Amino acid sequence: MTLLKLAIKSTLNRKASVLLTLCTIAISVMLLLSIERVRHDAKSSFSNTISGTDLIVGARTGDIQLLLSSVFRIGHTNNAVSWKSYLDIKERKGVAWTIPISLGDSHKGHAVLGTDATYFTHYRYGKKQHLAFQNGRAFHNAQEVVLGSDVANKLHYHIGQQIVISHGMGNTSFHHHDDNPMTIVGILAPTGTPVDKTLHIPLIAVDAMHKPSHTQPMMIGKKPQQNDHAQHQHAEDHNSHHNEHDEHDEHDEHDEHGHPHGTLDSEPSDLVGSPNQITAFLMGFDSPLYTLQVRRNINMYKAEPLLAIMPGLTLRELWEMLDIVEKILLLFSIVVVLVSLLGMLTTLLATLSQRRRELAILRSVGARPIHIFALMSSEAILITFMGCLAGCFLFYGLLFTANPLLQSQFGISLTIGWLSNYELTLLGVIMSAGTLMGLLPAARAYFYSLADGMSIKI
């Protein structure tokens, strides 16, 4: 206990140099823990995005490109799958269910996905969890839309509100489907996947929006005279605004304040129609034995070039590609930690010659060489421990700050909880390395003699 008090007082006596050393160790520990947490949670987020799906089928392209575009809404495919081919493959032996997917539209930077009722029945994420509704219900007809939780929270949308879909996947669009407003009838519960940032509409709505000519649809949940008034008001807004993007925002504002909360009643109708093509489709089988057989048949499909991928296998291929990047980041973090510990060693060695009289006085009052060795080692351990502790505080501060950004921009949800066993092991390795670094100045101090300390030349 006496040695610990001496180590603390000796450390406080050298505040400036010790503080700089603490900062370098803390920053290096924060960096190492952050990279490890992001790496682990990124894998978990990607792996939890889809489960229970045996095959993903799309136009022939790269395996990873098809996975990223159809599941993670990253990038896009150059070609599509014809509806005729989809119906043909859907009827193959062993196919339990299929989910058609049509992408290409957006709403204020959020992807719009065209599908049918099977999406809410068979799509699963995480540990084979089904989609659940936070509010409302699934769509029943071509003028209804279901929002992901992040879309509803970020844009402050509610049940019964009408929105307008835009053409293209960018944040800014110059073509809005103003003549096909969609009524929000459901908001999905949070999943921590790209589903949260997606708007879901029926396939027939996608087809109707992109046809050269179509009639004005009826507004769901409104009486005819109210609907006519809303259309008349929208037409006046259209004529009074020359900028199309401003017109689109004004229309959304009008809908936000002009529709009541609550689920709207509507009559179920056709959700599919007769589209010419879709972006991709998901498949599930009665038995895993059919997966490889059907996959081979699809990849050799003669009617058009198609590609069938197994999402779990493709995810592993993706992480294998990124494995070198993970190793580089981990190596970089380790180098930063070593540099900070070497800085601590340099500081201890540099101040050792200035402390020779101090050490000689300790020897003269009865301290043995082993006590001097333990004192110097304790200082190194104390500095390393305080640096690790400060690094953990910085690490959690960074998690709270960066988590919303990573969630919104990349769909990576960071786990804000206790340190994992692996992270605790990393801290233990750093503590051991710091202790070893402190052995060199401790050993040098051990061999200093009383006469050497009292005869320093000025």
Side-chain angles (χ1 to χ4, degrees):
M1 184 62 68
T2 303
L3 284 176
L4 181 59
K5 290 181 179 179
L6 284 174
I8 294 174
K9 290 182 178 181
S10 177
T11 301
L12 293 176
N13 192 46
R14 296 174 285 114
K15 297 178 182 178
S17 59
V18 170
L19 185 60
L20 289 175
T21 305
L22 277 176
C23 288
T24 56
I25 295 177
I27 292 174
S28 63
V29 169
M30 177 198 69
L31 183 62
L32 180 62
L33 294 179
S34 299
I35 290 177
E36 174 57 27
R37 182 64 62 92
V38 170
R39 182 189 69 83
H40 179 269
D41 288 350
K43 280 188 175 182
S44 298
S45 295
F46 273 67
S47 300
N48 291 335
T49 297
I50 185 170
S51 66
T53 296
D54 297 316
L55 289 180
I56 300 175
V57 182
R60 187 166 297 170
T61 179
D63 292 17
I64 295 177
Q65 182 182 0
L66 177 59
L67 177 71
L68 294 178
S69 60
S70 60
V71 176
F72 299 99
R73 324 286 191 257
I74 300 175
H76 57 86
T77 56
N78 297 325
N79 298 309
V81 181
S82 69
W83 186 249
K84 182 179 179 181
S85 297
Y86 166 72
L87 294 178
D88 177 42
I89 296 173
K90 179 182 178 181
E91 300 301 324
R92 297 291 177 94
K93 180 181 179 182
V95 177
W97 52 264
T98 58
I99 302 175
I101 291 175
S102 182
L103 297 166
D105 290 325
S106 64
H107 176 73
K108 296 186 178 180
H110 297 278
V112 173
L113 183 146
T115 185
D116 59 13
T118 58
Y119 180 85
F120 304 104
T121 304
H122 296 294
Y123 187 90
R124 285 172 284 179
Y125 68 97
K127 297 180 179 179
K128 295 188 176 181
Q129 298 168 263
H130 290 275
L131 296 177
F133 281 86
Q134 180 176 315
N135 291 306
R137 55 167 173 80
F139 44 66
H140 286 169
N141 55 53
Q143 281 81 51
E144 297 181 342
V145 57
V146 173
L147 307 183
S149 59
D150 285 354
V151 179
N153 293 334
K154 182 178 179 180
L155 302 179
H156 306 290
Y157 285 164
H158 52 75
I159 301 296
Q161 184 175 339
Q162 287 188 345
I163 61 174
V164 172
I165 304 300
S166 303
H167 184 67
M169 297 291 290
N171 291 325
T172 302
S173 177
F174 297 99
H175 181 199
H176 307 294
H177 301 292
D178 298 293
D179 50 354
N180 283 83
M182 310 291 293
T183 302
I184 300 173
V185 296
I187 298 174
L188 294 171
T191 63
T193 71
V195 173
D196 298 340
K197 296 186 283 293
T198 305
L199 295 85
H200 309 83
I201 64 175
L203 274 176
I204 192 172
V206 177
D207 190 41
M209 289 177 187
H210 295 91
K211 281 184 177 179
S213 60
H214 47 269
T215 58
Q216 178 74 13
M218 288 288 292
M219 300 296 105
I220 301 302
K222 294 179 72 68
K223 296 180 180 180
Q225 60 269 24
Q226 292 175 324
N227 183 47
D228 294 340
H229 173 72
Q231 294 176 13
H232 177 70
Q233 180 65 35
H234 174 67
E236 290 180 355
D237 292 341
H238 179 79
N239 294 330
S240 62
H241 291 81
H242 298 286
N243 186 284
E244 189 175 15
H245 190 268
D246 291 341
E247 173 199 335
H248 172 242
D249 293 338
E250 181 69 22
H251 181 77
D252 287 343
E253 291 176 4
H254 166 72
D255 291 331
E256 181 177 352
H257 299 288
H259 294 275
H261 292 263
T263 303
L264 299 179
D265 295 329
S266 62
E267 292 294 330
S269 62
D270 182 21
L271 301 177
V272 177
S274 55
N276 294 324
Q277 60 186 18
I278 56 176
T279 304
F281 59 95
L282 313 182
M283 300 184 68
F285 297 95
D286 296 321
S287 170
L289 299 176
Y290 291 105
T291 303
L292 293 178
Q293 178 183 353
V294 175
R295 182 191 183 194
R296 182 174 63 254
N297 293 338
I298 293 175
N299 289 335
M300 300 175 62
Y301 197 66
K302 295 182 179 180
E304 62 178 307
L306 298 178
L307 175 67
I309 63 172
M310 301 172 67
L313 181 62
T314 306
L315 269 176
R316 284 195 293 269
E317 293 176 358
L318 175 62
W319 290 120
E320 287 176 1
M321 289 179 56
L322 298 177
D323 185 58
I324 184 63
V325 178
E326 293 181 31
K327 291 180 178 178
I328 291 175
L329 290 175
L330 183 61
L331 179 62
F332 175 75
S333 301
I334 293 174
V335 169
V336 172
V337 172
L338 287 176
V339 169
S340 64
L341 293 178
L342 287 173
M344 179 186 69
L345 175 62
T346 303
T347 301
L348 291 176
L349 288 175
T351 58
L352 185 61
S353 59
Q354 301 173 6
R355 300 176 60 191
R356 291 169 71 172
R357 186 178 297 275
E358 172 193 340
L359 299 178
I361 293 174
L362 290 175
R363 291 283 301 277
S364 67
V365 296
R368 297 179 180 181
I370 191 63
H371 294 153
I372 302 299
F373 181 87
L375 175 63
M376 299 299 297
S377 300
S378 300
E379 291 183 13
I381 295 173
L382 181 62
I383 293 174
T384 306
F385 175 76
M386 294 302 296
C388 290
L389 188 61
C392 289
F393 280 108
L394 292 176
F395 166 64
Y396 281 105
L398 183 62
L399 284 185
F400 280 104
T401 304
N403 192 36
L405 178 63
L406 290 176
Q407 177 67 33
S408 61
Q409 297 296 325
F410 305 103
I412 300 175
S413 180
L414 298 180
T415 302
I416 302 178
W418 298 107
L419 295 176
S420 65
N421 292 332
Y422 181 70
E423 290 166 342
L424 290 174
T425 302
L426 291 177
L427 292 178
V429 171
I430 295 173
M431 285 295 302
S432 300
T435 302
L436 290 175
M437 291 291 182
L439 292 180
L440 180 57
R444 292 190 62 179
Y446 179 86
F447 293 106
Y448 282 158
S449 63
L450 177 62
D452 185 33
M454 297 298 292
S455 61
I456 297 177
K457 296 181 180 179
I458 301 178

